[in-house]
Amino acid sequence: MHHVEDTVTVAAPVDTVWNVLHDVRSHDRVFGPIHEVVVLESSASHQLVQLTVEVNTGVVHTWVTRRDIDSEARVIAFRQVRDLAPLVSHMGGEWRAFPLGPDRTQLVLTQDYAAREAVNGLVAEKFTPEETEKVLHGVAQRNAVTELESVKAECESRVAA
């Protein structure tokens, strides 16, 4: 299992950041790699969401993610529960928003992931375990930076409007 954590400071109140994170129905507009969001189930404390996402240039996958929501702590824990990508055996993490003052927020994205087991020396009949780890780490890092910058841009544009 691998763990990565990335962070960005957003020039917007924590409530603005939280609203962007929580409104999963708008994520296909906020996050460029997301092609489609379908909410399968929703309550005050969780969402079950089907996402269709470009995970690597030209590579699109669809999966189902469970999002457990703690509005008081401003934390959304997520984990893929169905239809994982061919290289992935586990993918999850958290979005956390911390106020740094009335007009600034620290946004943290953690990701925990693991590759599928190799069969006959290859993962998904394509990559060695070492190549798979390199691909997954690269995708996780690229997507984290892109997602954090997307939330930052959306929140700061809302404040400027």
Side-chain angles (χ1 to χ4, degrees):
M1 181 83 67
H2 297 278
H3 175 83
V4 293
E5 182 169 297
D6 295 279
T7 186
V8 68
T9 300
V10 182
V14 71
D15 288 340
T16 301
V17 175
W18 178 250
N19 289 338
V20 170
L21 294 176
H22 188 264
D23 182 15
V24 73
R25 286 179 174 85
S26 71
H27 284 191
D28 57 346
R29 185 182 56 74
V30 174
F31 299 104
I34 297 178
H35 292 246
E36 182 181 35
V37 176
V38 178
V39 177
L40 305 172
E41 188 176 299
S42 183
S43 75
S45 62
H46 87 286
Q47 297 165 326
L48 199 60
V49 183
Q50 180 179 293
L51 299 169
T52 301
V53 181
E54 186 170 337
V55 294
N56 211 349
T57 305
V59 179
V60 177
H61 291 290
T62 299
W63 62 80
V64 175
T65 295
R66 180 180 173 94
R67 293 168 31 108
D68 292 306
I69 301 162
D70 183 341
S71 294
E72 188 173 315
R74 294 186 183 99
V75 174
I76 297 174
F78 61 88
R79 70 183 189 290
Q80 292 180 4
V81 295
R82 200 168 62 227
D83 306 319
L84 297 175
L87 301 180
V88 178
S89 69
H90 168 81
M91 175 60 82
E94 288 185 340
W95 286 99
R96 299 185 312 260
F98 302 103
L100 295 176
D103 298 321
R104 289 186 30 199
T105 301
Q106 189 72 37
L107 179 59
V108 179
L109 172 59
T110 62
Q111 297 178 86
D112 300 301
Y113 62 92
R116 290 189 188 270
E117 292 292 320
V119 176
N120 297 324
L122 296 176
V123 177
E125 301 179 352
K126 189 172 183 179
F127 298 109
T128 66
E130 295 79 19
E131 291 169 331
T132 301
E133 295 296 333
K134 187 176 180 180
V135 167
L136 288 180
H137 182 74
V139 168
Q141 282 303 123
R142 258 189 325 279
N143 288 350
V145 169
T146 300
E147 290 174 7
L148 287 166
E149 288 302 318
S150 295
V151 173
K152 177 182 168 92
E154 176 68 18
C155 293
E156 290 177 355
S157 72
R158 288 183 184 192
V159 170

